[in-house]
């Protein structure tokens, strides 16, 4: 598990401009697995973000978003000393309900009507702690498996320090539905099929999503993915730019579980902001 603190007192510097970086916004993302009997690869739940969103507009990403103060407060109330880690886990669960209508890592009455009530309440501003108290829900935070953590060294208007978690959800009866605010479509598909759709121009994926999908495409089941994280525990991934003989590449470190660690800069231009640095997140 990565417990490094990116919010140190000394400001980080932009890798390109040398200017001070803005304080990263804590964020959390959940890779929801659904093993497919008879299939060589599990399905993953992807959401396609609205074109009106400031971050990753129109891109296919994993469900997730920023960690709210209420998430940190809930983690503290539950007795977790590492409230940054467990606040992020709480946020991942909350965002999954908000964005997809699926409740994971929750023990209690999870019939469709109850989950819809919780989703509507979250959209109306009710915090998850109050919903759990009202519905007698208990969060099973240990079910979330840390997968990775990304934070770019580029001074965007919004820089996200994003923790990625995995969880298995084999309830095939649970219907994921769009929230019609932040996303306009969602779909299940194995990691390689999403990569193939992106290659064909059918969906848009940004640099972190592509690297994570390539890593996830190695696994034939959720259990295989969990075993992989034991060999390659979650660490902070901070992309960097390298000038090579064949051009400029955006790179991530070797030896942390990713089968592909670089991509030609021109191939990732759609994932960049006007300032020239890569957008970060889901």
């Amino acid at each position: 598990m990565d417990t490094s603190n990116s919010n140190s007192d000394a400001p980080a510097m932009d890798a390109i401009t040398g200017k001070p970086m803005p304080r990263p916004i804590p964020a959390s993302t959940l890779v929801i697995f659904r093993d497919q009997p008879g299939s060589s690869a599990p399905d993953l739940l992807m959401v396609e973000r609205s074109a009106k969103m400031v971050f990753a507009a129109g891109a296919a990403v994993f469900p997730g978003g920023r960690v709210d103060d209420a998430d940190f407060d809930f983690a503290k109330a539950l007795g977790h000393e590492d409230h940054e880690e467990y606040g992020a886990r709480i946020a991942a669960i909350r965002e999954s309900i908000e964005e997809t209508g699926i409740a994971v890592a929750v023990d209690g009455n999870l019939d469709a009507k109850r989950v819809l009530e919780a989703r509507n309440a979250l959209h109306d501003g009710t915090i998850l702690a109050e919903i759990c108290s009202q519905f007698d829900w208990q969060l099973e935070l240990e079910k979330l498996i840390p997968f990775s953590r990304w934070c770019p060294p580029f001074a965007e208007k919004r820089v996200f320090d994003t923790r990625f978690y995995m969880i298995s959800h084999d309830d095939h009866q649970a219907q994921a539905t769009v929230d019609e605010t932040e996303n306009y479509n969602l779909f299940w598909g194995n990691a390689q099929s999403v990569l193939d759709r992106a290659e064909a121009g059918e969906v848009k994926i940004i640099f972190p999503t592509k690297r994570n999908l390539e890593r996830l495409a190695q696994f034939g089941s959720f259990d295989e993915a969990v075993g992989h994280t034991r060999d390659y525990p979650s660490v902070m991934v901070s992309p960097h730019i390298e000038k090579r003989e064949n051009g400029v590449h955006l790179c991530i470190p070797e030896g942390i579980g990713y089968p592909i660690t670089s991509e030609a800069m021109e191939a990732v231009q759609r994932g960049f902001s006007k300032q020239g640095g890569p957008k970060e997140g889901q």
Side-chain angles (χ1 to χ4, degrees), residues 195 199 205-215 263:
L195 290 167
E199 183 68 22
I205 53 176
I206 57 177
F207 185 81
T209 307
K210 188 173 185 179
R211 300 286 82 84
N212 282 317
L213 284 168
E214 290 161 349
R215 187 177 173 188
E263 188 170 355

Side-chain angles (χ1 to χ4, degrees), residues 7-239:
N7 297 331
S8 61
D9 292 335
M13 309 304 287
D14 186 290
I16 296 177
T17 67
K19 295 180 180 180
M21 290 277 292
R23 184 178 294 275
I25 300 169
S28 183
T29 290
L30 192 56
V31 183
I32 303 175
F33 282 68
R34 191 171 69 179
D35 286 343
Q36 296 295 313
S39 174
S40 60
D43 277 349
L44 310 174
L45 184 56
M46 307 291 296
V47 300
E48 291 188 85
R49 292 173 62 83
S50 167
K52 298 179 181 180
M53 299 298 294
V54 173
F55 164 73
V61 298
F62 305 109
R66 70 173 62 206
V67 186
D68 294 338
D69 289 342
D71 300 318
F72 292 129
D73 292 341
F74 195 7
K76 293 176 184 177
L78 291 174
H80 295 289
E81 293 185 6
D82 189 351
H83 63 273
E84 291 188 358
E85 167 66 25
Y86 284 90
R89 296 186 187 210
I90 290 169
I93 295 170
R94 173 181 55 75
E95 289 283 350
S96 174
I97 298 172
E98 290 181 13
E99 292 193 347
T100 74
I102 289 182
V104 296
V106 177
D107 180 37
N109 179 0
L110 297 178
D111 66 47
K113 182 179 179 181
R114 178 54 56 89
V115 175
L116 178 59
E117 289 176 0
R119 185 185 200 181
N120 290 338
L122 287 169
H123 284 164
D124 288 340
T126 304
I127 62 174
L128 185 58
E130 293 181 6
I131 293 171
C132 288
S133 177
Q134 178 183 349
F135 291 171
D136 195 25
W137 281 359
Q138 303 296 321
L139 300 186
E140 301 175 305
L141 300 178
E142 300 303 330
K143 285 189 173 183
L144 275 65
I145 308 298
F147 180 65
S148 189
R149 184 175 176 182
W150 286 64
C151 188
F154 305 100
E156 301 288 340
K157 291 182 179 179
R158 296 181 181 180
V159 174
F160 292 94
D161 175 358
T162 306
R163 302 178 194 235
F164 289 77
Y165 300 97
M166 306 185 304
I167 195 165
S168 176
H169 187 70
D170 288 333
D171 181 2
H172 289 222
Q173 301 302 314
Q175 296 295 316
T177 56
V178 297
D179 66 4
E180 299 180 352
T181 56
E182 293 187 4
N183 58 71
Y184 70 93
N185 185 39
L186 49 76
F187 60 91
W188 292 94
N190 65 61
Q192 188 59 55
S193 73
V194 181
L195 290 167
D196 292 343
R197 290 184 63 185
E199 183 68 22
E202 297 175 6
V203 296
K204 174 185 175 182
I205 53 176
I206 57 177
F207 185 81
T209 307
K210 188 173 185 179
R211 300 286 82 84
N212 282 317
L213 284 168
E214 290 161 349
R215 187 177 173 188
L216 292 163
Q218 301 175 104
F219 313 131
S221 68
F222 177 72
D223 287 342
E224 283 188 22
V226 173
H228 171 86
T229 63
R230 297 192 187 104
D231 296 329
Y232 298 98
S234 174
V235 296
M236 180 71 80
V237 182
S238 186

Side-chain angles (χ1 to χ4, degrees), residues 15-16 154 238-254 261-266:
I16 296 177
F154 305 100
S238 186
H240 61 279
I241 292 173
E242 289 184 9
K243 292 183 179 180
R244 301 179 177 179
E245 291 183 359
N246 59 343
V248 179
H249 286 65
L250 187 63
C251 309
I252 60 175
E254 303 278 351
T261 58
S262 67
E263 188 170 355
M265 189 67 79
E266 61 266 20

